[in-house]
Amino acid sequence: TENVHQTEPKSGKKAKRRLPQALIIGVKKCGTRALLEFIRVHPDIRAAGSEIHFFDRFHDRGFEWYRLQMPPTFEGQVTMEKTPSYFVTRDVPKRVFQMNPAIKMLIVVRDPVERAISDYTQASSKKLDMKNFEDLAFINGSSKLVDTTWGPVRIGVYIRHLERWLRHFPLSQFLFVSGEQLITNPAAEMVRVQRFLGVKQFVSQQHFYLNTTKGFPCLLKAAGSPGPRCLGKTKGRNHPLIKMSVIQLLREFFRPFNARLYQVTGINFGWP
Ligand code: A3P
């Protein structure tokens, strides 16, 4: 689903594939697809459509392989890619640094409790005999001990993962995008994104409309499609109803980690 923008640059130079200057590194189930699709509307940004998984899975294929996965760009255009597993994979920060120590990285974050339920919902959609959420979230069904090794929980301890990244990169190289804001006010979030990426303000209010059937913002005109476009059926799914007591225990578990994230990033994401 690659797209070369139609507009020729003034210089008349040819497009070529380049290594990314910016990455969406995470976080899974926080709105990374929405962010990528919104960014791809911008004429000065070109992004690979699928997740490339270079830094976590295919690193041994080398930078030349990686470059060839990127869409062709003209000089001055920004090349991007999103693979949410980068954020939580141990060796990735070091590898990204080896490619480009000045790279810009975007991280979408969302209330980790909602994220955990979203992650679980996705996993259950792929597995028929999935246990209940609460049987997986706690070390044994009846105890109140949160199982921190369970993916849907572990990934939501954002500060832990961020701290690993901060051993290699300064905070200024990351932009934190609120997954909640991306739904309630995508245009405002895109102002921050475009400023951070150093591109002109292009994607704005007039690119979005609220699709009342889907209950999410959709694009009036997406890259490579002639008309309006919402994300697919697997984005913005209904979640199973989880007992309030279970939600409360998870909130308590995440609270101190969220507080540290707010402190380190200087952003209060306002999670309950
Ligand atoms: P749910 O499906 O659990 O609601 P990712 O793309 O990182 O996997 O994130 C998926 C989540 O993006 C969805 O989780 C949904 O809440 C969120 N999202 C944000 N903006 C969206 C949009 N415009 N359309 C659909 N989902 C969106």
Side-chain angles (χ1 to χ4, degrees):
T1 52
E2 208 166 74
N3 54 83
V4 187
H5 207 258
Q6 304 86 337
T7 49
E8 286 283 334
K10 292 127 216 130
S11 64
K13 276 187 188 149
K14 279 198 71 174
K16 62 177 193 189
R17 298 175 195 275
R18 300 159 217 262
L19 289 169
Q21 296 104 339
L23 298 171
I24 299 173
I25 59 172
V27 178
K28 183 188 179 192
K29 301 322 292 173
C30 289
T32 57
R33 174 55 60 179
L35 178 62
L36 184 72
E37 293 311 312
F38 298 169
I39 284 179
R40 289 175 94 195
V41 171
H42 201 293
D44 299 339
I45 301 173
R46 295 278 76 107
S50 60
E51 296 176 5
I52 306 297
H53 285 282
F54 172 66
F55 293 106
D56 60 337
R57 287 189 203 155
F58 303 124
H59 190 249
D60 57 357
R61 295 186 181 178
F63 290 136
E64 194 52 18
W65 176 86
Y66 189 37
R67 187 179 67 78
L68 292 173
Q69 309 311 306
M70 295 300 136
T73 49
F74 296 113
E75 208 175 313
Q77 284 185 315
V78 178
T79 300
M80 289 189 70
E81 184 244 321
K82 86 114 172 159
T83 302
S85 49
Y86 290 165
F87 185 60
V88 297
T89 307
R90 204 194 53 168
D91 291 332
V92 170
K94 180 186 69 197
R95 291 171 173 174
V96 172
F97 187 86
Q98 284 164 356
M99 182 186 78
N100 180 1
I103 198 155
K104 294 178 182 180
M105 288 162 286
L106 292 95
I107 306 175
V108 192
V109 290
R110 172 190 192 184
D111 173 5
V113 178
E114 287 296 325
R115 200 215 70 82
I117 299 168
S118 176
D119 205 349
Y120 167 82
T121 305
Q122 169 160 290
S124 1
S125 77
K126 294 178 182 168
K127 201 168 175 288
L128 283 165
D129 53 343
M130 193 79 168
K131 286 189 189 169
N132 287 335
F133 180 83
E134 58 195 275
D135 294 337
L136 294 161
F138 302 106
I139 277 167
N140 74 56
S142 58
S143 88
K144 295 187 179 340
L145 269 184
V146 171
D147 186 351
T148 58
T149 65
W150 187 43
V153 169
R154 186 179 50 84
I155 294 172
V157 185
Y158 305 134
I159 185 66
R160 274 237 175 102
H161 306 290
L162 180 63
E163 276 169 348
R164 283 186 306 102
W165 282 91
L166 291 175
R167 290 208 283 268
H168 299 266
F169 295 96
L171 193 65
S172 57
Q173 269 169 259
F174 300 91
L175 182 77
F176 298 89
V177 175
S178 157
E180 286 85 6
Q181 289 285 329
L182 200 59
I183 294 169
T184 56
N185 196 352
E189 221 48 21
M190 288 309 292
V191 169
R192 299 180 59 233
V193 168
Q194 292 166 101
R195 190 187 301 137
F196 175 72
L197 292 175
V199 294
K200 65 179 182 233
Q201 294 292 332
F202 177 86
V203 183
S204 70
Q205 202 77 62
Q206 62 195 16
H207 289 90
F208 300 100
Y209 74 99
L210 182 68
N211 183 304
T212 46
T213 313
K214 191 164 174 75
F216 283 89
C218 299
L219 286 168
L220 276 166
K221 201 198 155 311
S225 87
R229 196 154 68 110
C230 295
L231 299 191
K233 281 201 285 289
T234 63
K235 306 293 180 182
R237 270 188 283 230
N238 289 326
H239 294 172
L241 200 65
I242 308 293
K243 272 194 262 162
M244 203 52 210
S245 58
V246 169
I247 303 265
Q248 283 307 338
L249 284 170
L250 282 175
R251 289 209 193 299
E252 274 163 43
F253 167 78
F254 282 117
R255 187 163 297 125
F257 299 115
N258 291 345
R260 259 170 61 212
L261 180 77
Y262 295 179
Q263 208 169 47
V264 168
T265 60
I267 305 172
N268 182 341
F269 292 99
W271 299 320

